[in-house]
Amino acid sequence: VLGVFGWFLILSSNLSFNAHIDNIYGKYQKPLGMINKICNQFKDSNYLKLLYHALVRPILEFGSII
């Protein structure tokens, strides 16, 4: 049985974070796959870094305490 804590944290009934990790993994796979497909078109790695910071990193850092 899954439970939702707040807006961004998913815990199972035994307080495991596995469901939360699977959820985050599923969310960032789509933009990361897109970046991977188009990476051959960019010769400058700064563009790939910019795409990563714009599309993937916000998903990974949402709700994290810095």
Side-chain angles (χ1 to χ4, degrees), residues 6-64:
W7 289 94
F8 54 88
L9 184 61
I10 300 172
L11 293 173
S12 64
S13 59
N14 63 352
L15 300 179
S16 172
F17 288 100
N18 291 338
H20 177 73
I21 292 169
D22 291 341
N23 183 35
I24 298 298
Y25 179 79
K27 284 183 180 180
Y28 80 79
Q29 283 301 304
K30 186 175 180 180
L32 195 59
M34 181 195 68
I35 292 171
N36 192 26
K37 283 184 181 181
I38 64 173
C39 71
N40 294 333
Q41 298 175 5
F42 295 109
K43 302 300 180 203
D44 188 6
S45 64
N46 287 329
Y47 293 120
L48 296 174
K49 187 176 179 181
L50 179 68
L51 286 172
Y52 173 80
H53 283 269
L55 300 174
V56 178
R57 195 169 174 186
I59 296 169
L60 296 175
E61 290 183 350
F62 178 76
S64 66

